[in-house]
Amino acid sequence: MTLKDRDKKHLWHPLTQHKLHPDTIAITKAKGCVLTDENGNEYIDAIASWYTCMYGHCNDNITSKVSAQMQQLDQVVFSGFTHKPAIELSEALIKILPQNQNKIFFSDNGSTSVEIGIKMALQYHFNKGEKRNTLIAFEDGFHGDTFGAMSVSGLSVYNGPFEDFFLDVKRIPTPNSENLEAILNTLKSIVETNKVAGFVYEPLVQGAAAMKMHNPDGLNAILKFCKAHNIITVADEVMTGFGKTGKHFASLHIETNPDIICLSKALTGGLLPMAITSCSQNIYDAFYSDDISKGLFHGHTYSANPLACTAALASIELLLSADIQNNIQRVIASHEVFNQHIKNHPKVKATRQTGVIFALDLNTEMARYGNLRDKLFKFFMDNGVFLRPLGNTIYIQAPYVITKKQLEKVYKTIEDALKII
Ligand SMILES: *Cc1c(COP(=O)(O)O)cnc(C)c1O
């Protein structure tokens, strides 16, 4: 029996309606930018397995260090204990994060990093004797699948059964060149009638909303408004972190620093699950007290797992290397050339790019998980390219180490796909 058939017996996959989509593809190997399936077919991983493996799959620099760490210290409780990989990672991160960030809190996936950011924002006010229970978030944002993260996500495709249990969230549109004044007016009326604790947002690029991009000046004005009203700003950089936007973090494109930053995905270069919520000294100080109950009583069993910390440390070393920085610039320039070539194609409605993230909207309406989307996905896979269209958007977010030849193949396959729709 093939792996694909054995899979059907006991496995329940994420984001999947199994009756409509019974088939999976069994991947047996991944190296660099190439995934290999059980039949020996190869696919260029043009979305870096949900934007995680940015230095290439099974990168020797990362695997060798993790493998050495495995012989030394595997796992230990992080309450009351500490260890070198966590300490070194905190030092390395603080050096590259926006300069107001000073404390690092660990968890193990993007959703929980946001959950912690929300709890920090709510408890910050609570500890200061103020009850603030409303959050602000962008329309179409995506922040994860746990309850707090789901609540702030505007992009709730199938949240029907849970909506009654959500936190109180008010939504604003993302800023563009025309709507900033209207947004600021909306914010004013929200703070007049609500006690707002925090603003949770994806800076510059909203991943799950099909790589929707917005303008840094507009976001800066919103962040300034929040600061003026003591609304804690929580930047969800789970997707945008670690070089995707051309800088180490999207927040570095914006003048006003966030109070809290959520990180995961490329944090460990895709090797192990881990997440971090960082914050400024000001946030931390609101929890620092002789009163035990003012502490942040949140913890995960695998917090700061030494192997994951080692993978993250090795990943940051790679990110800072001249080699990876050159690759990032090369991919950005290459996308710009492709953009010029494809943007006037009759089947293309719009294109956009921030850093290594490139997206193209088709001139066709398409359901997020509909038939046309499936046809497109199949076409890409049949041609050896792993791309996951989001509705009518095709996007590329390949590992930084993707070769020129591999990138050319991705572009050509996208162009060929325009013929079948
Ligand atoms: C993927 C993602 C999350 C959720 O992370 P998980 O590790 O899947 O829980 C949250 N926010 C953003 C912006 C993401 O892209």
Side-chain angles (χ1 to χ4, degrees):
M1 246 212 290
T2 60
L3 291 173
K4 180 180 139 180
D5 290 330
R6 281 166 63 196
D7 169 277
K8 289 188 180 132
K9 198 158 176 213
H10 300 298
L11 290 173
W12 189 346
H13 288 265
L15 307 171
T16 302
Q17 171 48 274
H18 280 276
K19 187 159 185 195
L20 298 178
H21 293 101
D23 288 321
T24 49
I25 296 167
I27 299 299
T28 51
K29 198 175 118 183
K31 187 74 188 169
C33 294
V34 178
L35 302 171
T36 307
D37 75 11
E38 65 176 320
N39 300 315
N41 298 313
E42 293 189 342
Y43 312 93
I44 298 171
D45 186 354
I47 64 161
S49 289
W50 272 339
Y51 352 125
T52 55
C53 310
M54 299 311 288
Y55 315 99
H57 287 273
C58 295
N59 184 301
D60 296 333
N61 290 296
I62 307 175
T63 54
S64 62
K65 285 179 179 142
V66 171
S67 156
Q69 179 60 40
M70 270 180 186
Q71 315 300 319
Q72 185 68 29
L73 171 65
D74 52 353
Q75 160 70 4
V76 72
V77 171
F78 203 59
S79 279
F81 287 123
T82 192
H83 50 75
K84 198 166 157 194
I87 293 165
E88 290 188 348
L89 175 57
S90 69
E91 292 166 350
L93 264 175
I94 293 303
K95 270 193 203 134
I96 58 170
L97 280 166
Q99 54 85 20
N100 70 332
Q101 298 296 296
N102 202 37
K103 290 284 173 179
I104 299 290
F105 192 96
F106 285 98
S107 61
D108 29 45
N109 63 75
S111 306
T112 52
S113 75
V114 172
E115 213 71 25
I116 292 159
I118 292 172
K119 285 173 81 170
M120 282 179 178
L122 293 171
Q123 194 180 341
Y124 171 89
H125 296 291
F126 184 89
N127 281 359
K128 288 181 175 276
E130 223 187 315
K131 192 166 166 25
R132 295 197 183 199
N133 52 12
T134 297
L135 296 165
I136 296 175
F138 280 141
E139 289 161 2
D140 294 338
F142 175 75
H143 301 285
D145 287 334
T146 52
F147 269 86
M150 256 197 300
S151 302
V152 284
S153 299
L155 191 88
S156 15
V157 197
Y158 307 113
N159 276 347
F162 316 116
E163 278 166 7
D164 289 350
F165 308 100
F166 283 2
L167 301 171
D168 181 35
V169 178
K170 303 282 180 260
R171 300 200 182 282
I172 54 170
T174 48
N176 56 42
S177 48
E178 280 113 53
N179 66 1
L180 185 59
E181 210 172 303
I183 293 174
L184 293 173
N185 284 332
T186 306
L187 284 171
K188 273 181 209 144
S189 68
I190 292 173
V191 296
E192 271 163 25
T193 45
N194 299 275
K195 298 209 172 303
V196 182
F199 168 49
V200 184
Y201 62 101
E202 291 161 274
L204 302 191
V205 188
Q206 296 180 293
M211 305 299 150
K212 225 174 119 188
M213 297 175 189
H214 58 262
N215 126 1
D217 294 338
L219 178 55
N220 191 45
I222 295 169
L223 295 180
K224 274 165 85 174
F225 178 93
C226 291
K227 295 267 147 151
H229 291 84
N230 204 20
I231 295 168
I232 303 304
T233 52
V234 183
D236 177 355
E237 294 230 26
V238 169
M239 184 200 76
T240 51
F242 305 101
K244 313 280 181 62
T245 63
K247 296 199 182 204
H248 297 331
F249 300 97
S251 293
L252 294 169
H253 293 273
I254 298 143
E255 197 189 310
T256 307
N257 288 325
D259 300 301
I260 293 171
I261 300 181
C262 309
L263 303 168
S264 188
K265 291 205 164 114
L267 170 64
T268 61
L271 196 74
L272 286 161
M274 188 166 75
I276 279 172
T277 310
S278 70
C279 70
S280 66
Q281 187 69 33
N282 177 44
I283 299 294
Y284 179 80
D285 286 347
F287 293 74
Y288 190 77
S289 165
D290 291 322
D291 179 354
I292 189 166
S293 75
K294 286 198 171 170
L296 180 60
F297 279 84
H298 186 111
H300 296 285
T301 309
Y302 279 96
S303 290
N305 170 264
L307 306 180
C309 288
T310 303
L313 202 53
S315 298
I316 291 173
E317 235 170 74
L318 285 170
L319 175 69
L320 300 180
S321 70
D323 186 30
I324 290 294
Q325 286 301 317
N326 291 339
N327 275 311
I328 290 175
Q329 292 311 320
R330 177 180 58 85
V331 172
I332 291 174
S334 168
H335 285 348
E336 283 166 1
V337 173
F338 178 58
N339 188 19
Q340 287 307 321
H341 171 71
I342 205 78
K343 70 179 183 189
N344 295 322
H345 190 288
K347 298 269 179 71
V348 173
K349 188 161 85 185
T351 59
R352 58 192 167 275
Q353 182 185 352
T354 297
V356 303
I357 306 166
F358 175 81
L360 165 168
D361 297 337
L362 300 169
N363 241 334
T364 324
E365 282 315 310
M366 236 191 261
R368 194 173 174 86
Y369 293 103
N371 287 339
L372 196 50
R373 182 257 170 221
D374 291 349
K375 186 176 163 193
L376 212 47
F377 176 74
K378 186 174 181 299
F379 179 86
F380 291 139
M381 293 304 278
D382 288 347
N383 284 280
V385 176
F386 174 41
L387 283 166
R388 279 176 64 97
L390 284 165
N392 68 341
T393 303
I394 298 168
Y395 73 92
I396 308 171
Q397 202 180 133
Y400 303 137
V401 295
I402 190 166
T403 65
K404 184 163 185 273
K405 202 166 148 222
Q406 287 168 331
L407 251 184
E408 293 301 328
K409 176 160 180 189
V410 173
Y411 296 147
K412 180 168 188 308
T413 309
I414 291 175
E415 203 171 346
D416 289 346
L418 297 177
K419 295 182 196 134
I420 66 148
I421 56 157

